[in-house]
Structures are given as structure tokens and as C-alpha cells.
Amino acid sequence: MRSSFRARHPWLVFLTRRLGRFVVSMAVVVTAAFAMVHALPGDPVRAALGLRASPETIRATREQLGLDDPLWLQYVDYVRGLLHLDLGISLDSQTPVREVMAQLVPATVKLGLAAFVVCIVIAIPVGLLIGIATRDGRGRTVHLGFGGLTGLALSVPDYLLSVGLVFVFSVSLGALPVAGMTGAASFVLPVIALVVGPGAYLARIVRAETQGVLSEDYIRTARAKRLPARVVYLRHALPNTLTPTLTVCGMILASMLAGTVLVESVFAWPGIGAELVDSVLVKDYPMVQAVALFFGAGILLINLVVDVAIAAFDPRSTIKES
Amino acid sequence: MSWSRRTRHHLSSPLGIVTAGLLLLLLVTAILAPPLLGDRADEIVVGSLQSGSSAEHPFGTDALGRDVFTRTLVATRMSLVLALLVVAIGVVAGLIIGAVPIVLGKRAGRVVVAGLNLMVAFPGLLLALFLAMIFGVGARGAVLSMSIAFAPSFARLTHTTASGIANADYVSAARLLGVSRWRILTRHVIPNISEPLIVNMTSQVGAALLSISALSYLGFGVQPPSYDWGRMLSDGLPAIYTNPAAALAPCITIVVAGLTFVLAGELLTQILGGHHHGHLRMPSRLSRRQGPEAAAPTRSADDGDEVLRLDGLTVTMPGETTPFSPVTDVSLRIRPGEIVGLVGESGSGKSLTAMAAARLISYPGLAEADVHRIKGQELRLMRSRDRERLLGTSLAMVFQDPMSSLNPTLKVGRQLAEVAETHEGLGRRDAWQRAVDRLSAVLISSPEVRAKQYPMEFSGGMRQRASIAMGLMAQPALIIADEPTTALDVTVQREVLNLLQRISEQTAAAVLLISHDIAVVAETASRVLVMYAGRVVEELPVSGLVTDAAHPYTRALVASIPDMSTDRSQPLASIPGRPPHTAQLPAGCAFAPRCGYADDQCLEHRPELVDSGRGGAVACWHPLLPAGRAPQGMAGPASVPASARRVAAEGEV
């Protein structure tokens, strides 16, 4: 009976299972964020407030954070707080973490999304065109040149690229702002720094997939039907590269989130990545917890969206059965 | 190539030289710089804080007035050591975690794998940052956090490679024999996964170097007074306006060192994997062509109403030393409504001939013909747009494997409809209507529903019928069917052949039926061309196939067809030996080495295709007489060795 239910409602079964996995993963992330504080060596409050804090302040802070309660109660309170979007008070600035996050998240999301869109808009067409140019082993020179360029782009990490870009465009040419978020021009350098590596990776994957798909029998069929080249490539080849491309896009978005940490630090971007670095250094752990949850939820959500998109758009997809 | 020769070959390549040079440079600097330059690097030059580059200080000085260049060199050791430590700890942890599923069995394995998948989803640097809070700042904390962040990806690599091997036959055999899991791990699994792991490890040293430098740059890694490149970068960056070199020098060394290890990984892959990129000789347009229509027709009068006429077709492919021709001097004429069979063993060039007839030979192959006409129009003289339209409307192709020749991501109806949209300018709805109509014409039931389905929802026979329907979207004058039944069940084969025959009768479309199975051709076609090693060796009417075949090869093919009178206690007939590769053809008749009638003339001179006097043509020095009569001074066809009996070409897919 179960198998017939599964056969009749593949979508329902798939979505239930996939959402279930998301919830479990999210629970793991939440628990890990909670456990992190208790894994800290010594007294986290003492570590955060420093050696010169008075015992009274320490005691008051411990009480405020509920650190003297039994562990299970702390966990329950913590989860209950999360459900009410109560993320605690920052030890560093003494303001509610939620308010700090509300200020910082938009800057990071804007930067990440801008970089992601630029990456996709450039890398996918480039990969497709190079894939077409190198089909059936054609264009050895193009292939080598492309491999070398993307290899170079992949080996320069975003933070070093940021420094180089600052030197060339801000210090030497004085053309673009060196730091901060001050309008459209201030996006240019951080976006380039975030795009180059992931963009090269995506273009490589799309090229390899395109080249592979173009040697498939059904492309020969399409050519035998004498369809115009545009139709062969866009209608017959492109959709068949979709699944790996979507998977890589998800990975790229996740890696861009991580990339913001370093890039934001170089460009003094008022975002969550730069804040994470500062918070970890001063051991402002409610803040670190919140950032961990933000990144964790973001990455899990991206993976969820990618899986659902693959199941929805690729008729061959077996993801629903797994 | 032997392993050591291969190593030498790769080390002497440009990649090998550059990589080895860079590695050596890094190693020497890491060993020698700290003892030789350590003091100078800490020396404070009074009165020149953050000065720009000068003869004395090529990269200037830092905020305390120390020479940046010297410090960059000295920092090499610290940076490399930290990166190597990260990878070493990460690999050991990864190996242990990754091997857990194999040692502990399925259930524990599944939990570990689920955990790994979750961990791998998070970028390493993020993990390391959170871990840095637990382990504290400083070199030790940074190395620990980073190696834990690296471990999941190693663990997953170990696990995926290892589970591939754990499922291999020899491991299953060991398990059946009661070998313990631990022993399987140490004796079978680890030796087999070490290669990919070593390659991966090498390039990961580069990644670790970049990441640990990033941690140091952010302030989590090496703390003053120690320094690595990352630390130097974070010290130099604030002064980028006064002395950019202080920030750029560590940047450049980090990139170069990272690149070195990536290149080393690449080089190792090539050495271990034994990739050898030979250069293929590409064919170029042959000069022997004297322009269209120059060559005289070899046989039968030019009767003008042929749907396909192909004279002197040669297909050239790139070869290791020189281009070779898998198809040479093939001529084909097909009249409306005629079904012509093209048979031969695998590698005989029959499929390439079919592809060339449809102008589908693609790079790096090259097809040339003296005459190539479809419905009387010389393709080589047409503008490409007109030619594509002519071919799109009057030529239909049916390919061998219906599983792979339909696009899996497009609905079947869409794949049919687009033909009419492209070549006849039909609107979407009309084209779709016609697609449904053609699907019903090839006897697909409930065509409206089927048109909306994807190919994977069709059975093999249905897909092949859909392919034929695709060809019927226009008004094909010629259907080229390349092994259309090879991938199908026997019962379905019959259906597809009948369908082709019926279409040919009803629409007067000609069919060029390519098959390795002479029985299929004998049942369906009216005329047969037999190909061997890239040339047509005999052409004859199907009616004379059994009695009139003059070429020993054709006779042997015919003898391999089982019929009701075949003694089933005997194995089926086959032709001993293998056909030669067309890149290494013998001087004489290509079939001579396998032929029971071959003599010196056959071995030295290639026979031309000439009129056989039996309504066909044959390329043989000793054509066999019609069945019943023995050839000149030779034993009868019975001497074709019939002992080893199976159709040599049967296995072709």
C-alpha cells in the first residue's frame, strides 16, 4: 500500500521528506549554536567581560543570561526565545541582538544577492558559449585559455583579490570608494571580489556540462532535424545542464555567504560577516550564536530551494525517489 | 608507459618544470630564511616607519620600521608549517570518520554520512570561525579549528571512494570468505583509495594555506610577535596608501604558494592517472577533388529521379600519426519507394556512410563526395539555408538507440512539433496537432496523452516509433534508419520494420536501412549493399542474396543466417578473424586475410567494384558463381570455414 501511495503522490512524499530533513538539520544547527557556548573553556561571561569586571557585574550578567539554571532549562529557554525571535542581549554593546541583526543583515544580503546575480548572469552564458566552442574537442586554444584563466581566478582567494582591487582601483586610480557602503559605486569592488572565484567555478561546470550534453545522441537528433543552432543550444542542450548548474549555484550562494566574512572585513562593510569576526574576537557569544543561526538557516534554506527546484524543473530528476 | 617513465615525462613538461621549481623555492626559503634572516627581519630601522619601497627595502618597511621583504621570506616557514599541520590533522580525522561506515556497518554508517553531508554544506571558513571561539585565538587554536573544518570534506572523499571499493566484487568475495571488516579496510580499501586521497591532499595544502592565512588576517591565527603571511597582510593593510607593498607582498606570496600546491596536485593526477595527451592529426580538405560532377558515374545510367545520389564518398578522421578514412569511395543511389539495405560488421563504415549521406558528420571528421544530391539537388552547391530546409523537410533520420536519441527534458509532442514550426512556419497549435496526428500514424494509442509525456514514460519500441513519427512531420523522400531495431526486443523489431515498410509503400519514401544483421535487411529491403573495411564490396538485389552473391564475404554473411533448416545441434556459422581497422588496411583486398579463396593477387592488389553481371556489382578477384556451380578452380562456398559458427557482427550495439 505504501508504495502505491508513494507512486500516486510523489510530490507530497518528496516535500514531506525534504522538509523533514530541513527541520532536523535546523534542529542540529540550533543545538550546536547552544552547545557552542557551553563548550567554551572557563566562564564565558568572564571571558567576554574581561578580567577587570567586578564580581557583581559578572554575577548579574550570569543571572541575566540564565547561566546558573540547569542545562535543560537553559536549552528550553533558549529555544523558546528563538521562537519569539528573542536572540538575547549582546555582551559587547548591551543592546538586544535582534536590533543589531536587523541593522546588519540587509547590508550582507544586498551584497550577497548582488554578487550572486552578477555571477549567474556572467558565468552561465560564458560557460555555455565556451562549451559550444569546445564541443567535440574543437577549439583547443580556446579550451586551454579558458582553463588557464578560470584556474587563475580560482586560485586567488576573495580576500586577497579584495586587497588587490583596493590597491588598483582605490589607491592607485582613486576611482572607487575604498570602504563602507555608500551607494552603488561602493558595491563594485566587493561584488567583483566575491564573484571572480565562484564565477570561474560555475563557468567551468557549465562549460563541461555543455560539452558533455552536446555529444549526446539527442543533440545529434536535433541536428538531424535541421533545427537552427539557437534552438539546438537553448532548447535542447541548456535544459539538460540544469541539474548540475542548479546544484553548483546553491553551493556558490553558500560560499558567497562565507565570502562576505572576509570581503566585508577588507571593505569595512557594515554587515553581519564583519560583525561575526568582531564578536568572536571579543567572545560576545549571544551575537555569535545569532550569526551562526543566520548563516546556518541561510545555507540549509538554499539547499532546500535547490533540491525543490531540481525536482520541479528536471523531468529526469530522481531526487524525488531518493 | 611505465610509472617512472611517465613521471619523468610529466616532470619535464612545462607544468612539471614550473611546479617543481616553485616547490623547491618554497622549501628552500622555508628551511633557510628563518636561521639566516630571522634577526634582520626583527631589526627596527629607526626613522623609517612605513616607508615606501627603496633600494634598501624593496617592499618598504612596516609600522615598526622592519623590512617587509625579509619578513615575507621568514614568514614562509610559519605559513607552510601551519598549512601542512591543518591538512595532516584534517586527513587523519577525515580518514577515521570516513572509514567508520565501513568498519561499523550500515546503520552507524548512515548516521555518519548524514552528519557529514550536513557539515560539508557549510563553508569551511565559517565552521573554523565558530570553532575559533572555542579553541581561542592563536596559532594552535587556528590550526585546530581549520583542520576540524577541513575534516568533513576529507571524510566524505574517503567515504565515497571507499564505498565504491567496498562494493567491488573482490571485496564482496573477501567478505563472503569471512575476512573481518578491519582487515578488509586495511588490506583492500586503504591501499585502493590512497591515490585519490594523496592527490586531493596535495591540492588541499594550497587551500589550507589560503584559509589559515585568512584566519591570521582576521586576527584569529598567529599572534605577535610571531607572524605569518596572513598576519603581515592584516598589519600592512591599514597602511595601503603609504606603503602598498607591505600589504601586496604577503598577498602575492600566499597566491603563489597556494597555486604551487594546486599545480602539484594537477601534476600528481597526471602522473598517477597516466593521462597522455597525444596530438591527433587532423584531416584537411583533400585536393584530389576535381570539383563537383567531375567524376564519371561508375555504373548504371544516370536516371535523374533518384532521391539520393552519392558518388565517391570518403570520410576522413584524425589518427594518431596520420588521418585515416573509415569510409572510402562509396557510391549510393536510391530511388523513390525503394528500401536499400546497407550491411556490414561493426567498424565497416556503414553508420558513417549514413551520417555522411545526411550531412551529419561532425568535427573532427570530414566527409567529401564528388556528387551528393537529394531529390536531384546538389547539396554542395546550395546556400546553407536552402540546404537545411531541403534536408529538414525531405530527409528523416531514425537512430539506433531510442533511449538516448530523444531529448529527456522535452515532451515528445514538443520534439515532433518543432520540426513543423522550424521548416514550415506552422503555429504552435497547428504543429502540435500535426504531432498528435503523426503519433497516431505510427500506431501509438491515445496520442493526445502520449504527446504530453516525456520520453522516459515511453517504452523502447514506442520511442522508436515516435522517432519515426518525428521523421514524418514533413514529407520525407528518404528515411535513413541507422540500426533502428538493434536496441529493441525481437517482437518489437518486427513492428518497427513493418512500420518502415508500410510508410515506404504509402508515401513512396525511400528507406536506407543500415544494419549489421543481414537477416533484417533480407526481410525488409529490395537491394543490399555490403560494406567491408570502409568500402562497398558487393551490391545485389535481395532476391539473389542466397543464390547469386558473388563475394565470399557476402556468402559468409548469408550463411550465418539461421533458418528452419539450420541444424540446431550445430553452433551458428561465423566468419573467423576480425575485420581490419581502417587506419591499417592491407595493400590488397581488405577481406583477403579472412578469405578461404584468397591468393597472392588478393593480398597484393585491391579489386575494384565492377558489374557482377547479376544485377549488381562486386569487388572481388574471384567472384563466386551462382550457388550450385563451383568457382574457377576453387572449392565451393562450403569451404568457407563453418566450424566456428556465430555471426561475428552480432554483438554490435
Side-chain angles (χ1 to χ4, degrees):
Chain A
M1 283 320 285
R2 249 187 83 204
S3 67
S4 71
F5 178 77
R6 197 185 285 184
R8 262 181 292 136
H9 306 282
W11 266 104
L12 194 65
V13 174
F14 165 69
L15 282 180
T16 317
R17 187 180 305 192
R18 191 60 189 80
L19 280 174
R21 211 171 95 199
F22 174 74
V23 170
V24 171
S25 306
M26 206 51 224
V28 172
V29 169
V30 167
T31 311
F34 173 79
M36 183 169 68
V37 179
H38 298 272
L40 293 181
D43 182 354
V45 175
R46 169 69 70 189
L49 299 185
L51 291 173
R52 260 177 278 162
S54 69
E56 288 77 37
T57 323
I58 303 263
R59 200 175 310 127
T61 312
R62 282 190 69 86
E63 205 155 297
Q64 177 203 337
L65 293 167
L67 284 177
D68 298 323
D69 294 338
L71 204 57
W72 65 268
L73 187 60
Q74 289 186 42
Y75 187 65
V76 170
D77 283 343
Y78 166 71
V79 174
R80 191 179 295 148
L82 283 185
L83 292 177
H84 295 92
L85 281 180
D86 175 8
L87 299 164
I89 309 276
S90 161
L91 291 178
D92 190 36
S93 62
Q94 295 298 326
T95 46
V97 171
R98 187 169 58 178
E99 283 174 24
V100 183
M101 293 290 282
Q103 279 181 353
L104 300 177
V105 166
T108 297
V109 169
K110 272 184 209 160
L111 179 60
L113 279 185
F116 184 64
V117 169
V118 170
C119 181
I120 286 191
V121 166
I122 294 176
I124 292 183
V126 166
L128 190 67
L129 287 176
I130 304 279
I132 291 169
T134 55
R135 68 193 188 277
D136 303 326
R138 261 173 256 240
R140 284 179 64 89
T141 324
V142 173
H143 192 174
L144 282 176
F146 176 77
L149 269 180
T150 48
L152 197 67
L154 278 169
S155 51
V156 182
D158 43 23
Y159 65 103
L160 299 184
L161 184 65
S162 305
V163 175
L165 288 171
V166 166
F167 172 66
V168 174
F169 292 98
S170 306
V171 177
S172 302
L173 301 176
L176 290 162
V178 66
M181 188 167 97
T182 53
S186 65
F187 275 80
V188 176
L189 294 186
V191 164
I192 294 178
L194 280 173
V195 161
V196 167
Y201 183 62
L202 180 61
R204 273 190 168 194
I205 299 287
V206 172
R207 189 211 68 82
E209 287 297 325
T210 306
Q211 195 192 22
V213 164
L214 286 179
S215 65
E216 293 284 344
D217 285 354
Y218 51 80
I219 295 297
R220 187 181 58 184
T221 308
R223 289 202 297 127
K225 288 193 274 184
R226 312 291 156 178
L227 300 176
R230 175 178 45 86
V231 175
V232 173
Y233 297 136
L234 296 182
R235 190 187 294 161
H236 285 262
L238 192 58
N240 284 288
T241 63
L242 192 70
T243 292
T245 305
L246 275 175
T247 310
V248 172
C249 283
M251 284 164 56
I252 280 177
L253 196 50
S255 83
M256 277 180 175
L257 273 180
T260 56
V261 174
L262 284 158
V263 171
E264 283 181 4
S265 299
V266 176
F267 289 99
W269 197 260
I272 203 166
E275 175 66 28
L276 172 66
V277 174
D278 298 338
S279 306
V280 172
L281 280 175
V282 300
K283 295 193 188 278
D284 182 356
Y285 70 82
M287 199 62 224
V288 176
Q289 271 181 334
V291 178
L293 289 175
F294 172 78
F295 280 133
I299 287 166
L300 292 176
L301 209 61
I302 291 167
N303 287 341
L304 177 72
V305 170
V306 165
D307 280 358
V308 173
I310 289 174
F313 295 131
D314 193 338
R316 287 168 306 172
S317 166
T318 51
I319 204 168
K320 283 193 290 243
E321 281 119 54
S322 63
Chain B
M1 246 192 278
S2 74
W3 198 87
S4 60
R5 260 190 67 195
R6 214 158 61 205
T7 311
R8 235 175 299 139
H9 168 83
H10 284 293
L11 280 180
S12 59
S13 68
L15 173 72
I17 293 169
V18 170
T19 311
L22 285 172
L23 270 177
L24 199 70
L25 188 69
L26 277 179
L27 206 66
V28 169
T29 315
I31 293 172
L32 295 183
L36 294 183
L37 301 169
D39 294 339
R40 191 175 130 76
D42 291 332
E43 213 170 86
I44 292 169
V45 182
V46 185
S48 82
L49 307 184
Q50 291 185 351
S51 67
S53 60
S54 61
E56 205 179 336
H57 307 291
F59 291 155
T61 55
D62 69 2
L64 290 176
R66 296 169 297 196
D67 182 51
V68 171
F69 179 66
T70 322
R71 289 176 75 78
T72 311
L73 292 181
V74 175
T76 308
R77 180 187 284 186
M78 179 68 97
S79 305
L80 282 189
V81 165
L82 294 184
L84 289 170
L85 274 176
V86 165
V87 172
I89 300 174
V91 165
V92 172
L95 267 177
I96 293 171
I97 304 168
V100 162
I102 297 162
V103 178
L104 294 187
K106 272 200 179 134
R107 198 165 309 157
R110 212 168 293 155
V111 177
V112 173
V113 172
L116 283 180
N117 285 341
L118 185 62
M119 294 274 278
V120 173
F122 292 91
L125 185 74
L126 274 185
L127 281 181
L129 274 183
F130 294 119
L131 290 168
M133 199 155 99
I134 297 170
F135 292 118
V137 293
R140 202 191 52 174
V143 166
L144 277 177
S145 333
M146 210 67 228
S147 42
I148 293 178
F150 264 68
S153 65
F154 277 117
R156 202 154 77 155
L157 182 73
T158 310
H159 174 255
T160 41
T161 339
S163 50
I165 287 158
N167 293 328
D169 289 343
Y170 59 89
V171 174
S172 313
R175 203 171 283 144
L176 272 179
L177 290 171
V179 178
S180 75
R181 280 169 173 168
W182 181 251
R183 213 175 144 72
I184 287 176
L185 181 72
T186 51
R187 288 294 295 276
H188 294 287
V189 177
I190 289 182
N192 281 299
I193 62 173
S194 51
E195 223 172 77
L197 276 181
I198 288 170
V199 168
N200 191 263
M201 248 166 69
T202 314
S203 27
Q204 289 297 322
V205 175
L209 188 85
L210 300 180
S211 310
I212 202 91
S213 303
L215 276 189
S216 279
Y217 159 69
L218 289 175
F220 294 91
V222 177
Q223 300 295 317
S226 299
Y227 54 97
D228 65 350
W229 290 331
R231 185 81 226 175
M232 289 184 64
L233 173 60
S234 80
D235 291 343
L237 196 55
I240 193 160
Y241 277 98
T242 48
N243 179 21
L248 294 179
C251 275
I252 293 166
T253 47
I254 294 172
V255 170
V256 170
L259 201 60
T260 305
F261 287 101
V262 173
L263 289 179
E266 189 93 344
L267 191 67
L268 264 183
T269 316
Q270 289 188 2
I271 293 175
L272 295 173
H275 290 295
H276 179 71
H277 300 290
H279 288 276
L280 290 179
R281 300 272 160 199
M282 294 295 169
S284 55
R285 296 228 164 250
L286 304 172
S287 50
R288 67 178 182 84
R289 298 287 168 213
Q290 301 116 15
E293 318 271 337
T298 46
R299 324 171 281 283
S300 78
D302 190 350
D303 48 12
D305 71 334
E306 297 140 336
V307 286
L308 171 71
R309 178 173 161 188
L310 199 54
D311 280 349
L313 169 74
T314 296
V315 177
T316 317
M317 290 282 172
E320 295 279 345
T321 50
T322 162
F324 68 100
S325 300
V327 174
T328 311
D329 200 20
V330 167
S331 297
L332 261 179
R333 281 133 201 255
I334 304 179
R335 286 182 298 277
E338 193 183 20
I339 300 184
V340 175
L342 188 58
V343 291
E345 285 168 281
S346 134
S348 62
K350 56 192 190 308
S351 285
L352 279 173
T353 303
M355 295 295 278
R359 273 187 79 94
L360 284 174
I361 297 285
S362 63
Y363 183 92
L366 188 65
E368 290 173 294
D370 297 320
V371 178
H372 190 175
R373 290 191 206 151
I374 299 268
K375 294 209 296 195
Q377 302 192 60
E378 176 54 62
L379 296 182
R380 292 172 310 147
L381 301 177
M382 292 173 83
R383 284 188 309 160
S384 71
R385 263 190 69 168
D386 300 338
R387 187 175 59 215
E388 293 301 283
R389 169 158 306 167
L390 175 70
L391 289 170
T393 51
S394 52
L395 180 75
M397 292 288 294
V398 180
F399 294 106
Q400 175 173 345
D401 189 355
M403 297 297 170
S404 60
S405 55
L406 292 176
N407 194 323
T409 53
L410 290 176
K411 287 173 181 163
V412 173
R414 185 91 199 81
Q415 299 188 49
L416 267 66
E418 63 181 356
V419 178
E421 284 171 30
T422 304
H423 297 296
E424 296 178 54
L426 251 59
R428 273 204 161 207
R429 184 168 308 184
D430 292 341
W432 185 269
Q433 208 45 55
R434 186 185 288 185
V436 171
D437 177 66
R438 296 301 190 268
L439 283 177
S440 78
V442 296
L443 309 176
I444 284 178
S445 52
S446 41
E448 293 91 352
V449 182
R450 288 296 183 178
K452 288 186 199 134
Q453 291 182 334
Y454 290 98
M456 63 170 188
E457 295 166 88
F458 277 44
S459 70
M462 254 161 58
R463 289 189 211 193
Q464 201 59 309
R465 277 182 280 151
S467 297
I468 295 173
M470 199 185 301
L472 298 180
M473 286 301 285
Q475 300 76 38
L478 174 64
I479 301 172
I480 298 181
D482 184 5
E483 303 267 9
T485 58
T486 308
L488 303 177
D489 290 341
V490 181
T491 45
V492 185
Q493 285 186 8
R494 196 61 262 159
E495 269 173 44
V496 169
L497 290 175
N498 286 344
L499 180 63
L500 281 173
Q501 251 171 337
R502 194 169 54 86
I503 291 167
S504 173
E505 279 160 24
Q506 287 172 355
T507 66
V511 178
L512 176 60
L513 178 67
I514 289 94
S515 181
H516 66 271
D517 186 351
I518 198 164
V520 163
V521 170
E523 283 171 62
T524 320
S526 55
R527 195 150 56 86
V528 187
L529 277 80
V530 181
M531 282 190 78
Y532 190 81
R535 288 176 184 270
V536 174
V537 294
E538 180 155 24
E539 177 178 349
L540 76 168
V542 163
S543 54
L545 197 56
V546 178
T547 51
D548 289 349
H551 201 287
Y553 179 63
T554 315
R555 284 281 171 101
L557 283 180
V558 172
S560 69
I561 310 177
D563 59 26
M564 296 306 283
S565 65
T566 306
D567 179 0
R568 285 197 283 169
S569 65
Q570 294 283 314
L572 286 171
S574 86
I575 310 162
R578 311 186 115 267
H581 191 273
T582 39
Q584 296 128 19
L585 283 181
C589 171
F591 186 60
R594 299 168 77 187
C595 181
Y597 308 101
D599 58 15
D600 288 349
Q601 184 185 21
C602 300
L603 291 170
E604 279 157 28
H605 304 283
R606 191 173 49 74
E608 292 293 331
L609 191 64
V610 293
D611 195 326
S612 64
R614 299 169 214 174
V618 65
C620 182
W621 292 121
H622 309 294
L624 303 173
L625 297 174
R629 280 172 285 164
Q632 308 99 316
M634 283 277 195
S639 76
V640 170
S643 48
R645 317 181 108 207
R646 270 197 115 253
V647 189
E650 200 179 66
E652 185 188 357
V653 191

